[in-house]
Amino acid sequence: MKKVSYAWIVRGCALACLALAQGAAAGLEPENVPDLMTTFKGEKVTTVEQWEKVRAPELRAEFMREEYGRRPVERPKEFSFAPAEPDAEMMDGKAIRKRVRVSYAGKYGKGEFTFTAFIPKQQKPAPAFVLICNRPPDANIDPTREKKSEFWPAEEIVARGYAAIAFWNGDIAPDRSSGNRDGVFACFEAPDKGRAPDAWGTLSAWAWGASRVLDWIETEPLLDAKHVAVVGHSRGGKTALVAGVCDKRFAMACSNDSGCSGAKLNHIDLPKSEHLHQIVRTFPYWFCANYIRHVNAEKEWRVDQHAFVALMAPRLVCIASASEDAWAGQEGEYWSGRLASPAWELYGKKGLVSEGFPPPEQPLQEGCISYHVRSGKHNLTSYDWNRYMDFADRHGWRD
Ligand code: GTR
């Protein structure tokens, strides 16, 4: 009698565990995701030509009109760079530091920002990583290197043969609700007019800043402008994708813990993760006004974020999550990479090569999309940076 009841308990437990596991697995599979390879008119996309002429342009237009907002300007007519300080030898003579002031003007005003570049001293022009820094600049991107932070491990980046370049997003436009009346916005938009529903939000404006840094990189003989990655964390990770999608000169975009409206897919049930109704309530100014129409209706929208990631094809993308960062929706970040992959396949390449959601510290780097989960909290760390550099190495950036 005793034996029987024990067996039943074991069996009962096993069944309960199986049910739980199945439930969990089922919950983590995306459902009814809009098909990447069917145009809005219902045509199947099977060639690079169709992708480049029809599908990619219509997707890009959709995201810029409905989510991030259109940029009124790319490189302005009135635009110049100047050294903000004389070049300096730093990092025990291993790097040259350049501080560059970017000045620009639009119809309604003038703006400027300064960024820092540490370039490794080497024979060949250096490939580069451009960080869109969304954390306090003094503590995170200190040009004097008195303060050091894992958020931008410039010494490690230089030691691996890459230039470490960073600017502060707040220098382009302030990260606050009135932000899209200040900074770069104030130079290109009439102050007394209402904003169009598709007028750019701050993510779009910060991404514009990354492209202006790239304008300078193209002029700098010590740098290899064909191998430049744009990197960002969280709101900066969303921005890094916008920068890469809007500017094909970026050969790689690294979207670290970018979550909702970044790499996270909406068509997956992750109740602990951020949703549109939350992000639009707290940060409406990051987006264009049209975005509000998709709040609580994201599953009816004809696109999802995997299609945004796909606009990087055939270039390189890195997506990363942190194990304790449920707010960013780790599985959603992973699935965007998976479901974006057919865009790379059109080019005869591989996107995210994976059998399933990986455990922490087991990066997936076989294709043109890298994905990893790092143990720990929402952050950009030396571990993440080194995976991004591994991926660039793997694609021959330092050969
Ligand atoms: C959170 C926001 C996220 C993420 C994050 C960050 O408050 O909900 O979407 O972007 O901020 O940028 O740190």
Side-chain angles (χ1 to χ4, degrees), residues 212-232:
R212 304 295 65 85
V213 173
L214 187 46
D215 291 338
W216 171 78
I217 292 174
E218 286 189 320
T219 69
E220 173 51 64
L222 296 178
L223 294 170
D224 170 6
K226 294 268 176 281
H227 293 110
V228 179
V230 58
V231 186

Side-chain angles (χ1 to χ4, degrees), residues 351-390:
L352 177 55
V353 179
S354 163
E355 308 264 288
F357 187 72
E361 283 79 58
Q362 292 194 19
L364 304 169
Q365 299 203 314
E366 237 182 276
C368 295
I369 302 178
S370 160
Y371 178 78
H372 74 257
V373 184
R374 169 184 48 75
S375 293
K377 294 196 167 47
H378 185 67
N379 198 1
L380 173 59
T381 70
S382 166
Y383 178 86
D384 300 307
W385 278 103
N386 278 290
R387 300 300 72 74
Y388 302 149
M389 291 188 277
D390 292 348

Side-chain angles (χ1 to χ4, degrees), residues 134-135 175 233-236 238 257-260 274 278-279 282-283 286 327 378:
N134 58 298
R135 290 204 175 157
D175 191 358
H233 165 68
S234 205
R235 65 201 69 187
K238 309 180 210 293
D257 303 0
S258 60
C260 180
E274 185 175 30
Q278 291 146 324
I279 204 166
T282 323
F283 304 106
W286 285 357
W327 183 242
H378 185 67

Side-chain angles (χ1 to χ4, degrees), residues 282-340:
T282 323
F283 304 106
Y285 59 97
W286 285 357
F287 307 97
C288 63
N290 278 337
Y291 201 31
I292 204 157
R293 28 186 205 215
H294 304 290
V295 166
N296 296 325
E298 49 265 56
K299 293 201 176 158
E300 283 93 70
W301 192 10
R302 57 185 177 172
V303 295
D304 200 343
Q305 295 299 125
H306 67 305
F308 197 58
V309 172
L311 291 170
M312 282 300 297
R315 295 167 290 152
L316 304 175
V317 185
C318 298
I319 301 173
S321 308
S323 64
E324 293 168 36
D325 189 13
W327 183 242
Q330 301 96 333
E331 291 85 355
E333 295 172 323
Y334 163 81
W335 273 104
S336 266
R338 281 283 293 268
L339 298 174

